[in-house]
Amino acid sequence: MTDHHQIAHGVDLETLSGFAEHAKDDPEAVQLGLGASATYEGTAAHSLATIDSYELGGETITRETREYTVPYGGWKEVLSAAGWVGATDRIEPIEAALSALAACLNVGVTINAVANGVDVDHLETRVEADFDPAVLFGLAELAEADSVFENVSAEIDIDGEDVDPDLIDEWARRAPVYTLVSLAQDVELNVNTPAQVAGDD
C-alpha cells in the first residue's frame, strides 16, 4: 500500500496539520530556546558569530552540522574613512538583521500560505532602513537611541493564485523576527568582568 501524502512547497500537509494539533494540545513541547554568541577578533567591530545548539521542548539539540559561523565587520569605505588599517568588507550586523527580517517575513507568509492552501508562485521581500551612527560613535546621548533608525520598511512582492493582500500582511506580521524588531522587548543585559581582587591595605 502506498502513502499518497499531499506535498506543497516541500511540506507534507498531513504532517504539518498533525504538528499544529500537537502544538495546540501540548504548547510546552514546541517551545524553543534559541541563542547565538560572538567573539571579538582583535580588530574593532570584527567578531566571529557562532550558532549551534538549541532547545526544543526543554531538550537540547546539538550536532556538528548545525555549527554555523559568520564573520561580522563593517563596510570597507566607512571603516577606511574612520581609520581602520587594511579595512575589508564583511557582513555588517545591521544588514544581517535586515536580511533576517526579510527572510523571516517570507517564513511567516509561506508557512501560513501552505497551511491555508494558498499557492505562492513568487515571493521576494526587501527590507530597508536609514541608519544614523551618531549614538554608536558617542556623538549623541544614549537617550537618543530611538532615533538611530528611520524609514524602516518592508516591501513584499508576491504572486500566486488567490493571493489576498490583507492576509499576506497578517501572515508577514506573524513572523518571529518581525515581532523581535517591531515590538518592545525586555533585553536583560548582563556584563561579566573578572572578579575584583581586594588590594592590600
Side-chain angles (χ1 to χ4, degrees):
M1 188 166 128
T2 306
D3 286 336
H4 295 287
H5 288 204
Q6 187 175 357
I7 296 175
H9 291 276
V11 179
D12 183 313
L13 300 183
E14 184 177 328
T15 302
L16 176 62
S17 177
F19 179 82
E21 282 298 314
H22 175 62
K24 181 179 179 181
D25 295 340
D26 188 4
E28 290 300 315
V30 296
Q31 298 304 301
L32 291 159
L34 308 175
S37 63
T39 303
Y40 175 57
E41 295 182 293
T43 297
H46 282 202
S47 288
L48 184 66
T50 304
I51 302 166
D52 45 40
S53 64
Y54 70 100
E55 290 185 4
L56 174 60
E59 177 187 351
T60 299
I61 297 175
T62 181
R63 57 181 172 272
E64 289 184 4
T65 53
R66 281 211 96 253
E67 294 177 359
Y68 306 115
T69 57
V70 183
Y72 283 116
W75 312 275
K76 179 179 179 179
E77 294 78 9
V78 174
L79 298 180
S80 292
W84 269 249
V85 178
T88 58
D89 273 316
R90 281 187 169 196
I91 297 173
E92 203 287 327
I94 297 167
E95 293 170 320
L98 296 178
S99 72
L101 174 57
C104 200
L105 290 172
N106 286 355
V107 169
V109 170
T110 55
I111 285 179
N112 285 281
V114 168
N116 288 277
V118 174
D119 198 19
V120 175
D121 295 328
H122 170 79
L123 173 63
E124 183 176 353
T125 299
R126 180 168 182 81
V127 176
E128 296 182 340
D130 294 330
F131 168 58
D132 181 350
V135 171
L136 171 64
F137 285 102
L139 305 175
E141 297 297 322
L142 186 57
E144 298 178 49
D146 61 354
S147 66
V148 166
F149 290 102
E150 292 184 347
N151 303 317
V152 180
S153 65
E155 183 171 332
I156 299 172
D157 289 327
I158 186 168
D159 187 22
E161 193 173 340
D162 300 323
V163 170
D164 180 338
D166 291 334
L167 272 180
I168 300 305
D169 182 85
E170 176 192 328
W171 294 343
R173 292 173 191 274
R174 292 180 180 276
V177 177
Y178 177 84
T179 299
L180 181 67
V181 302
S182 68
L183 303 179
Q185 307 293 331
D186 293 326
V187 179
E188 182 179 334
L189 185 61
N190 297 305
V191 179
N192 301 312
T193 59
Q196 298 297 316
V197 178
D200 293 334
D201 291 332

